[in-house]
Structure formats: structure tokens, C-alpha cells
């Protein structure tokens, strides 16, 4: 195929899959592949690994955990729209669980047939192995971040001033959807605990929006820390980088969160941890899901063993708050890891290697 017409890079982007009509998407993808006869196909999420492609071309599938445990793409219940209009309450929950099971079994079958499966964390890799995906076909590639954007500031004092942060404040921050899994409430309780112990310099910035926002605002008032907590809402990536650069510590105490359907929402990696680390600040997280794959305890941050233990979280905050040398050391390590392990350059190189190996094998 003559790729010169597609530009200096030799490739083009073609919007092909909508993720709304799996069977139609599969047919379109197969038709497109037949026309261009690719050397290898990279599928960016487990639910899109259609079996119509797997028999004819080498396929590398990226897997992020919840895309095969709670897949949103794949074959669901027959007459789905009718079923969901006729049922309610617990019965609807049963149908949702049945449908999730059908989708999951389909996705797992696809992954077992893929030539290579790329997991985003140790946790995801272990779950794949438990589901019977061959360990010899699983690769581990953690990360994906823009190191040019998420980098240390040239003048931290000026960045803080631009955001109205006082020099004496010690700023914690968390960014993400305001949902139960993220553990914003645990951090707030830890801030309240430290305030009662006399730590008056603490400020907590919450960036993002979501269904838990009202409850979190009410919790801040009930804990009498509404003056210390700032809700920044959803912001652009460039502004997010500025907040990281102005902060002293990034903290997100994610937990395994049970959803109304009965399934569990898990933090399978946690991109914000290494984005914040790339900006030169230490991070604190919980030893759950894929978080230990991005936080090396004692190196670029600290891990708590129990995400519900407010005193343990407060202890870790206090440890870094009063140890400037340790904060600087962990911040520097976060920058190193961002550039050497989590950057898109590194991730892209790893995917290039994996796909090249599949071309060679086939």
C-alpha cells in the first residue's frame, strides 16, 4: 500500500467504529481490513476485539481491566431495549447482571484468541490469568502521559500565586470523577482529623465533577472543613497541569466500590498519580487494584494498606507534610518515572515492539 499520500508520517486516521452497534462495527472493520490487508491490528479496548478480525490478521488488544470485567461493548440480551422498558427494581438489576455476564463471556473468548494482550497493570494481568487468558500472550505496559505538559514548573511560587494559593498553605489535591471509587470522602475525613490536631495550613483542592459532588460538599460542611476544601470543577488538561505544579501533594485513596448492580468498580491503574508525579510532587494512594503498579511505596510516593483507615491516611499526609527533603526526593523520582516508564514515548515504543513481534511471528 502506498502510504506517501497520507502525509509525512505515513499514516491516516479513519473514524470507523462507533461502539454503539457492535455487529455493524465488526462488519465495517472486517471490510476495511480486507481492503487494506494490514500487517497487524491494534485494538484499543477489550470489548472491541471482534472475532471477525481474529482469524485472519495478527491482533494486539489493549486491556484496562473493567473493559472485560464490566464490558460496555459486546453482545447483550436479545431485544434489550424492550426488556429494560418492561422491568424495574431488583428485577432490572438481575437482567443487568445477566447481560454483563453475557458480554463478559464474549469478551473473554475474544481475548483468549488474540495474539497478544497488553495489560495496563499487574492487577489487570492477574485478573486476565484468572479468567484463563494464556500467560504467554500477556504483556504488561503501564502508563500513557504527555511529559511535555505534565512537567515540573520553572517557577513554582509564580504558579501558586496565579492560582491564589498562599505561600504558607500546604496544598493537597485530587482530580477525577466525583464517584465513590475515588475516595474523596476519606481524604476529607483525614483533613478534618489533622485540623483537630492543630494542622491549620492544610488546603484540599478537589478537581472534577460527578454524582457525588453534592454529598461531598455537605460532608465538608459537616466536618467543618468547608473553608479548607475547594471544589474546582471539571477543567482542561493544561489547567490541570498547572494545579499539579502548584500543589505540594497529590492524594487519591481509591477503594473497591460496589455498584448498585452488585458489580465492583476498581481502580485498575490511575493515570492522575503519574501525571501529578511528572509535575514533581509526591503521591499517596491505597494498596488496591492497579495503584501499586504506578506508586512505588517509599520511592515516588506512599501507599496506605486500608483505604477506609482515616488515621493511616492522616499519618501519611503528616509524614510528607513535615519532611521537605522526602517530598523533594519523591517528587524528583516521580519526574524520572514519568519520563522513563509512563510517557507516551515509552508506551508507544513498547507497543511498536509488541506489534513488530507479531508481524515477525506471522
Amino acid at each position: 500500500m502506498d502510504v506517501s499520500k497520507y502525509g509525512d508520517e505515513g499514516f491516516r486516521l479513519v473514524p470507523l467504529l462507533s461502539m454503539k452497534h457492535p455487529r455493524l462495527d465488526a462488519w465495517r472493520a472486517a471490510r476495511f481490513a480486507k481492503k487494506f490487508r494490514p500487517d497487524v491490528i491494534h485494538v484499543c479496548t477489550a470489548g472491541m476485539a471482534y472475532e471477525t478480525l481474529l482469524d485472519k490478521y495478527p491482533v494486539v488488544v489493549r486491556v484496562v481491566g473493567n473493559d472485560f470485567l464490566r464490558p460496555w461493548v459486546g453482545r447483550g440480551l436479545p431485544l434489550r431495549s424492550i426488556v429494560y422498558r418492561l422491568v424495574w427494581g431488583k428485577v432490572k438489576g438481575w437482567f443487568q447482571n445477566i447481560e454483563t455476564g453475557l458480554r463478559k463471556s464474549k469478551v473473554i473468548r475474544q481475548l483468549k484468541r488474540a495474539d497478544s494482550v497488553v495489560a495496563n497493570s499487574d492487577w489487570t494481568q492477574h485478573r486476565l490469568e484468572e479468567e484463563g487468558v494464556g500467560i504467554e500472550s500477556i504483556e504488561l505496559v503501564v502508563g500513557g502521559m504527555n511529559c511535555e505538559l505534565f512537567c515540573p514548573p520553572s517557577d513554582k511560587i509564580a504558579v501558586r500565586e496565579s492560582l491564589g494559593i498562599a505561600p504558607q498553605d500546604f496544598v493537597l489535591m485530587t482530580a477525577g470523577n466525583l464517584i465513590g471509587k475515588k475516595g474523596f470522602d476519606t481524604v476529607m475525613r483525614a483533613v478534618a482529623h489533622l485540623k483537630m490536631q492543630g494542622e491549620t495550613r492544610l488546603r484540599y483542592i478537589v478537581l472534577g465533577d460527578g454524582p457525588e459532588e453534592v454529598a461531598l460538599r455537605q460532608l465538608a460542611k459537616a466536618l467543618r472543613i468547608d473553608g479548607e476544601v475547594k471544589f474546582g470543577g471539571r477543567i482542561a488538561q493544561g489547567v490541570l497541569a498547572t494545579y499539579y505544579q502548584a500543589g505540594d501533594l497529590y492524594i487519591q485513596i481509591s477503594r473497591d466500590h460496589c455498584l448498585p448492580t452488585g458489580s465492583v468498580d476498581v481502580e485498575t491503574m490511575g493515570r492522575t498519580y503519574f501525571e501529578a508525579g511528572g509535575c514533581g510532587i509526591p503521591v499517596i494512594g491505597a494498596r488496591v487494584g492497579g495503584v501499586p503498579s504506578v506508586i512505588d511505596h517509599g520511592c515516588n510516593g506512599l501507599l496506605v494498606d486500608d483505604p477506609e483507615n482515616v488515621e493511616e491516611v492522616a499519618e501519611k499526609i503528616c509524614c510528607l507534610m513535615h519532611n521537605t527533603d522526602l517530598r523533594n526526593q519523591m517528587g524528583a523520582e516521580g519526574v524520572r518515572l514519568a519520563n522513563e516508564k509512563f510517557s507516551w514515548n515509552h508506551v508507544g515504543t513498547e507497543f511498536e515492539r509488541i506489534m513488530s513481534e507479531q508481524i515477525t511471528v506471522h
Side-chain angles (χ1 to χ4, degrees):
M1 180 175 66
D2 180 13
V3 298
S4 60
K5 61 183 178 181
Y6 298 145
D8 295 336
E9 282 76 25
F11 65 88
R12 65 170 175 170
L13 297 177
V14 180
L16 186 66
L17 306 180
S18 67
M19 298 182 72
K20 295 179 180 179
H21 309 288
R23 293 181 185 179
L24 176 61
D25 286 345
W27 176 80
R28 293 181 65 201
R31 186 169 176 268
F32 194 82
K34 182 178 180 180
K35 178 180 178 180
F36 288 94
R37 300 171 62 88
D39 295 307
V40 62
I41 294 174
H42 170 222
V43 182
C44 64
T45 181
M48 304 297 289
Y50 299 114
E51 69 271 19
T52 51
L53 301 177
L54 293 175
D55 293 331
K56 300 178 182 178
Y57 309 98
V59 173
V60 176
V61 185
R62 176 178 177 267
V63 179
V64 299
N66 287 322
D67 57 346
F68 71 90
L69 293 175
R70 298 186 293 109
W72 55 91
V73 176
R75 185 172 298 135
L77 290 171
L79 304 176
R80 180 180 186 274
S81 60
I82 296 177
V83 169
Y84 277 83
R85 283 184 173 88
L86 294 178
V87 298
W88 62 91
K90 290 185 178 181
V91 177
K92 184 175 181 178
W94 295 336
F95 275 103
Q96 287 177 326
N97 290 335
I98 292 171
E99 183 179 38
T100 298
L102 289 173
R103 293 179 185 274
K104 178 181 175 181
S105 63
K106 177 182 175 65
V107 170
I108 292 298
R109 287 199 303 271
Q110 293 166 344
L111 292 177
K112 288 180 179 179
R113 297 168 62 189
D115 297 277
S116 183
V117 177
V118 182
N120 69 336
S121 67
D122 289 316
W123 183 90
T124 299
Q125 179 174 346
H126 295 153
R127 299 296 83 73
L128 286 166
E129 294 170 6
E130 290 174 355
E131 295 292 343
V133 178
I135 187 172
E136 68 282 351
S137 69
I138 302 175
E139 297 267 3
L140 179 64
V141 180
V142 184
M145 64 171 287
N146 183 347
C147 287
E148 293 182 0
L149 177 62
F150 296 102
C151 60
S154 57
D155 188 343
K156 192 179 185 77
I157 295 176
V159 173
R160 287 172 68 96
E161 287 179 351
S162 71
L163 296 175
I165 298 173
Q168 71 275 11
D169 289 346
F170 187 86
V171 179
L172 316 175
M173 60 180 55
T174 313
N177 295 326
L178 305 189
I179 55 178
K181 175 178 74 173
K182 299 295 184 179
F184 294 95
D185 56 316
T186 302
V187 179
M188 287 185 183
R189 296 181 194 281
V191 170
H193 179 79
L194 289 170
K195 182 180 178 181
M196 290 179 63
Q197 292 184 338
E199 300 288 0
T200 58
R201 296 189 298 126
L202 275 176
R203 300 293 182 268
Y204 181 35
I205 298 176
V206 177
L207 301 172
D209 57 18
E212 297 290 322
E213 182 171 351
V214 173
L216 289 171
R217 288 180 179 274
Q218 291 174 344
L219 177 62
K221 288 183 179 180
L223 294 171
R224 297 182 180 180
I225 57 169
D226 45 318
E228 286 77 15
V229 178
K230 173 185 175 182
F231 289 85
R234 185 174 294 274
I235 58 177
Q237 287 282 289
V239 181
L240 175 61
T242 302
Y243 271 99
Y244 287 153
Q245 292 169 346
D248 294 296
L249 172 64
Y250 183 83
I251 182 167
Q252 180 178 309
I253 310 300
S254 294
R255 56 164 73 94
D256 294 347
H257 182 63
C258 186
L259 300 173
T261 59
S263 59
V264 178
D265 192 10
V266 179
E267 194 72 73
T268 64
M269 185 179 70
R271 193 180 309 276
T272 54
Y273 294 111
F274 50 78
E275 287 179 343
C279 293
I281 62 175
V283 295
I284 296 179
R287 207 181 294 275
V288 298
V291 177
S293 289
V294 296
I295 299 181
D296 185 355
H297 181 70
C299 183
N300 64 327
L302 298 174
L303 290 168
V304 299
D305 295 318
D306 182 0
E308 306 299 338
N309 190 330
V310 173
E311 291 187 2
E312 184 184 6
V313 174
E315 179 186 339
K316 294 295 190 295
I317 294 172
C318 199
C319 171
L320 291 176
M321 184 178 181
H322 295 287
N323 194 330
T324 304
D325 289 342
L326 182 59
R327 284 204 314 276
N328 292 338
Q329 177 185 329
M330 289 184 172
E333 186 63 17
V335 174
R336 185 190 70 80
L337 287 173
N339 285 277
E340 295 182 7
K341 182 178 180 180
F342 302 130
S343 71
W344 281 122
N345 285 338
H346 174 74
V347 171
T349 299
E350 286 297 287
F351 269 93
E352 183 179 6
R353 172 187 62 79
I354 293 167
M355 289 190 284
S356 296
E357 289 175 356
Q358 292 305 321
I359 294 172
T360 303
V361 169
H362 287 77

